[in-house]
Structures are given as structure tokens and as C-alpha cells.
């Protein structure tokens, strides 16, 4: 049976997601059938560009429609919680863009609700489905790096977007791009750090725009991670083990090149697309849809590769970083069922 996707919001990341999906040569038995946005004209234009059959001018109509099985939510950060809950309430599976929510309380609430409804729910940390990251994982498991001891990684972009810089829009360097750094550390070490130290800077809106994060694990293992939304950094990551190192080349969060333990350059080409992308290497957004389809058909409500626990740990780490830097959202004072 075909897995039918509905797209929630017509923003830049939704455009890239649909472009990546539509232009991949073999998507299996799944398709994008509907789009919803608050502005029907914008939704209609999106549908025309991406050849989507059905257009909805509000999210409730899409959520209650029998035309879709799963929603991809590409909304602004503060809307993730309410929109995800809306679609779960209406019996739809959900793939929600990162960060899952603004804090761990919202994240736990949605996970609990999805489990009650027996519906699939996943945070769209597309990095974990990158062929380069799967290669890295295999190299680690094969023992080719020895014992992993240290990670260093940078992610810096020159960003002028309100969604990153305004508190009322859920702005935050750590929520926007720092999550990729934290994800890498968790992906490699696969345990919660014993200590987290963060230093950084806030803008006039009270939003973090830089941070250096030091994650300390057992037996002296450590990650040093730098994020910056006011400066372009060399956005690569190196994983050091007792036998050697691997470097995920720029952009490390979804690289198409990896410098292997033996020094050779491995390439992981992405498919070509009909339309230009808003963000780098976004052709890779399609890979997570294969895992979503696999899990749903297997009757799973979470992915082993990007589990609910993984999302909760990331949310906890981001809360910790925000707390140390003094970034506070109104929802931090609220409780969620």
C-alpha cells in the first residue's frame, strides 16, 4: 500500500524536502499527495511547482483528511508541538523537523502521546540517515579507529533569518545548527555525557548566537563543539580514536566527502534535482523517508536509528546549554501533559 505524505507549511525546508523526494529515482511505494499552509495562494503555488495534487488552506483540514497517512512538519520551532499533536490526534504518523520542540517537556509529551495513539513519530534529524554517517558507524563498529576518545566539530553560518535570531520565533544557534553538533557526539559515543559546559553570547533578543560546548563522557572521552550564526566557519568534524581518525568534510552534518582512516577521500554523491535547494546538500533529505516507510510498514512507532530516546537526550542537552547561557522561553515555565 502506498504511503501518502502530507506537507505541513510551504517554507524553505519543506520546499527542499519535497524537491529531494520528488527527484530521487526510486522512492519505493510512497508519494507526496497534499500540501497545507495558512495562505492558500502560497500553498497552491507550492503545489504547482512541486506537482502536488491536493491543496489545503488550513492544517486542521489536512490533519482530518483521509488523503494522507503521514505528515511532514516543516514549521517554525514554536509551532512544532501544537502541529505534531494535531496530526497525532487525527491518527496520522508524523515526521517533524528538528528541533523536535522547544524543550524536553514538550518532546516527552509528544512521545507519550504518540505511544498512546500507537503512531509513528520521529524527529527529522536527517543526518543519521546520511550514507557518510552510516559509513562512519561501520568504521567505528569494525574497530578501524580503535577506541574513540575525542571529537572536534564546528558549525558556523552567517545567518540573518528571524527564525534563528528572534526569541518569539524560537530562535537559537543551538536549536538551529548546534543540534547537529550535539547529534554527532551522541551518534558516536552513544551515551549521555557526564558533564556539559557551555559558554557563548546572546543577542539583544536574548537568543544565543554563539556557543562552545564541551561534552565530557566516561573514561576521559570528550567532544568540543563550536556553533556560530554570525560567522562562517570551516564546518567539518573529526573523530579521533586510538588507531586513527576520520574527518567528515564540510558540511559535516550531511557530507558528501569523508577523509578515511587511511587518508583517502571517500565520496558519497547526491542525486541531482530539478530545482535549486535553499540549504546545502538537501538532496539528502530523502534518505530519512525510506526509514520512515520501513518502520511504519513494520508496525514500529519509532526508528532504531533515530529513536525517541535519542530525541529526548538531544532535547535535554539543548535545554542544558540554553540554561547555562541564560536563554529562556515562556514555554519553559509551562507543563505539558
Amino acid at each position: 500500500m502506498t504511503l501518502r505524505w502530507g506537507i505541513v507549511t510551504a517554507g524553505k525546508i519543506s520546499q527542499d524536502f519535497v524537491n529531494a523526494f520528488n527527484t530521487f529515482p526510486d522512492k519505493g511505494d510512497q508519494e507526496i499527495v497534499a500540501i497545507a499552509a495558512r495562505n492558500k495562494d502560497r500553498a497552491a503555488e507550492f503545489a504547482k511547482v512541486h506537482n502536488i495534487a491536493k491543496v489545503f488552506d488550513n492544517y486542521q483540514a489536512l490533519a482530518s483528511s483521509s488523503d494522507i497517512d503521514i505528515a511532514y512538519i516543516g514549521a517554525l520551532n514554536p509551532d512544532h508541538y501544537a502541529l505534531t499533536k494535531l496530526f497525532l490526534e487525527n491518527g496520522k504518523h508524523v515526521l517533524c523537523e528538528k528541533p523536535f520542540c522547544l524543550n524536553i517537556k514538550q518532546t516527552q509529551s509528544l512521545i507519550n502521546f504518540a505511544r498512546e495513539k500507537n503512531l509513528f513519530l520521529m524527529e527529522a534529524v536527517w543526518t543519521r540517515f546520511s550514507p557518510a554517517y552510516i559509513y562512519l558507524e561501520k568504521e567505528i563498529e569494525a574497530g578501524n579507529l580503535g577506541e574513540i576518545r575525542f571529537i572536534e566539530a564546528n558549525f558556523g553560518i552567517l545567518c540573518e533569518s528571524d527564525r534563528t535570531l528572534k526569541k518569539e520565533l524560537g530562535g537559537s544557534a543551538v536549536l538551529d545548527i548546534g543540534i547537529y553538533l550535539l547529534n554527532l557526539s551522541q551518534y558516536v559515543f552513544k551515551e549521555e555525557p557526564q558533564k556539559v559546559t557551555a559558554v557563548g553570547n546572546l543577542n539583544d533578543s536574548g537568543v544565543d548566537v554563539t556557543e562552545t560546548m564541551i561534552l565530557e563522557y566516561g573514561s576521559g572521552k570528550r567532544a568540543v563543539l563550536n556553533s556560530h550564526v554570525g560567522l562562517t566557519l570551516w564546518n567539518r568534524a573529526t573523530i579521533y580514536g586510538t588507531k586513527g581518525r576520520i574527518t567528515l568534510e564540510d558540511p559535516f552534518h550531511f557530507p558528501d566527502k569523508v577523509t578515511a582512516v587511511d587518508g583517502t577521500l571517500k565520496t558519497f554523491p547526491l542525486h541531482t534535482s530539478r530545482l535549486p535547494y535553499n540549504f546545502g546538500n538537501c538532496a539528502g533529505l530523502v534518505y530519512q523517508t525510506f526509514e520512515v516507510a520501513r518502520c511504519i510498514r513494520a508496525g514500529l512507532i519509532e526508528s532504531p536509528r533515530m529513536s525517541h530516546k535519542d530525541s529526548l537526550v538531544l532535547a535535554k542537552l539543548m535545554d542544558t546549554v540554553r540554561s547555562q547561557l541564560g536563554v529562556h522561553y515562556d514555554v519553559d515555565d509551562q507543563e505539558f501533559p
Side-chain angles (χ1 to χ4, degrees), residues 3-4 60 62-66 68-71 83-94 113-114 116-120 296:
L3 184 67
R4 302 165 302 168
Q60 177 63 62
L62 178 61
S64 58
S65 170
S66 61
I68 68 165
D69 306 300
I70 180 168
L83 286 174
T84 297
K85 192 164 187 180
L86 171 66
F87 281 86
L88 291 172
E89 285 173 337
N90 284 270
K92 306 303 190 290
H93 306 291
V94 174
F113 190 61
E116 290 172 12
K117 301 282 285 186
N118 196 35
L119 291 166
F120 180 84
I296 290 173

Side-chain angles (χ1 to χ4, degrees), residues 18 36 94 103 127 159 242 264 301 322 329 336:
V18 174
V94 174
N103 61 31
T127 300
C159 179
T242 53
T264 61
I301 62 171
R322 286 197 300 111
Y329 301 128
F336 297 87

